[in-house]
Every structure is written in structure tokens, then in C-alpha cells.
Amino acid sequence: MARKKRNLRKKLFIKNRLVILNVDTFEEIFSFKLTLMNVFVVFSLGGIFLIAVTTFIIAFTPLREFIPGYSSTQLKKNATELAIKSDSLAVALQKNEAYIKGIQKVLNGQLEYAKFNKDSILSETEETPDLNMKTSEEEIKLREEVAKIEKESGENKEKKKTKSAKK
């Protein structure tokens, strides 16, 4: 086991020569003195650099809009503005419809003009949320426990007052 580790270490640091030759003339174009460790480090750093550059390009340029799932910032902004506008327009439309119905009632004689008030009509259009105001069994039990604890603490306070008053 120890020999295998030493052999691997030796192989990583053995110097080799990489020579590029011209095939026709066998002229040496250039050469490098390399070790396996140098090659491994260079390729690792190159891969990390390539991944970093690709991530940077995708993250900080409009190129990310071509990736499925990403939408443009302008599109998101426009969608938000349109949602807000449509909400406010729906509320305004509802109020106007209620007001027009009130005016129609006055014109048809179903309602006296003296009872016709814009504020009362608009208040009718505002919907109150349906809230469940019924107490659950858990809440009733909790209230009973709290009342019991408060009662006991109140009795303890009275006992302390009577003891201090006797002294």
C-alpha cells in the first residue's frame, strides 16, 4: 500500500517533455517540460475558470433570458404594474356599478332621493371577509385552564395579604 502511494507520487512529479514537431521536416516547433501534477493543476484551473466565466456571463447579462424558466426583468415589472392596475380598476368598476344601480333606483322611483347617499352606496360594495368567529373545543379548554390558573394565583395573593395584615 505504501509503495503504491510512493509510486503515484513519483509518477506525478516525474518530468516529461512535450515536443511539437513539423511532420514533413521533423523540425521542433516548441516543447514543454511538464509533470503530471502540472497538467492536472492547469486543467483543473482552466475548468474552474471556464465555469466561472460562463456563470458570470449568464448571471449578469441579458443572455439569461434565453434560459427556460427565466423571464426578463422588464416583463416582471410590467406584469406587476398591470396586476396593480387591474386590481384598482376592478374596485373602481364595482363602486361605479353600485352607484349607477343606486341612481337607477332613484330614477325608477324605488328609492327616495333624500335616502340616496353616495357614501352609503359605496359602503355597501365593500365586502367584509367571512371570519369564523366560533370558538373551538381547544380554545374553550385553554380558556378554562387559564381561568383556573388565574383563580389559583388570585387565592394565593389573598392569603399573602391576610398573613401580612395579621403581622
Side-chain angles (χ1 to χ4, degrees):
M1 184 83 165
R3 286 187 178 185
K4 288 183 181 180
K5 286 184 182 180
R6 285 187 184 175
N7 287 339
L8 181 62
R9 285 183 189 162
K10 285 182 182 179
K11 285 181 182 180
L12 285 176
F13 293 104
I14 292 176
K15 291 185 179 181
N16 298 307
R17 186 172 177 171
L18 174 67
V19 179
I20 307 290
L21 298 174
N22 187 345
V23 176
D24 296 331
T25 62
F26 292 108
E27 180 184 349
E28 183 178 314
I29 297 174
F30 60 89
S31 66
F32 291 108
K33 288 183 182 176
L34 300 172
T35 64
L36 286 177
M37 183 60 102
N38 289 348
V39 173
F40 176 73
V41 169
V42 167
F43 278 115
S44 298
L45 290 177
I48 291 171
F49 178 74
L50 186 64
I51 291 170
V53 168
T54 304
T55 304
F56 180 78
I57 289 172
I58 290 173
F60 299 109
T61 63
L63 194 63
R64 69 174 168 254
E65 294 173 12
F66 294 108
I67 297 174
Y70 280 101
S71 59
S72 69
T73 54
Q74 187 65 31
L75 181 66
K76 287 181 183 178
K77 182 179 176 183
N78 289 343
T80 304
E81 288 176 3
L82 288 176
I84 291 169
K85 283 181 184 179
S86 65
D87 250 4
S88 61
L89 286 175
V91 170
L93 180 65
Q94 188 179 18
K95 288 181 179 181
N96 285 340
E97 286 177 354
Y99 185 69
I100 290 171
K101 285 180 184 177
I103 291 175
Q104 286 177 347
K105 285 181 182 178
V106 170
L107 293 175
N108 292 335
Q110 297 172 353
L111 184 69
E112 292 180 23
Y113 179 75
K115 294 181 181 177
F116 180 70
N117 185 357
K118 184 176 181 179
D119 293 332
S120 64
I121 291 173
L122 293 179
S123 66
E124 290 176 5
T125 62
E126 295 175 3
E127 297 178 12
T128 56
D130 295 332
L131 298 175
N132 185 7
M133 299 300 284
K134 296 179 182 177
T135 57
S136 65
E137 290 183 27
E138 294 174 353
E139 187 177 353
I140 292 171
K141 289 178 183 177
L142 179 66
R143 288 182 182 187
E144 289 173 357
E145 289 177 20
V146 170
K148 183 179 177 182
I149 292 171
E150 287 178 352
K151 185 178 179 183
E152 290 174 359
S153 66
E155 289 174 0
N156 290 338
K157 287 182 183 178
E158 287 180 21
K159 287 180 182 179
K160 287 181 182 178
K161 286 182 183 177
T162 55
K163 285 183 181 178
S164 64
K166 289 182 181 178
K167 289 183 180 179

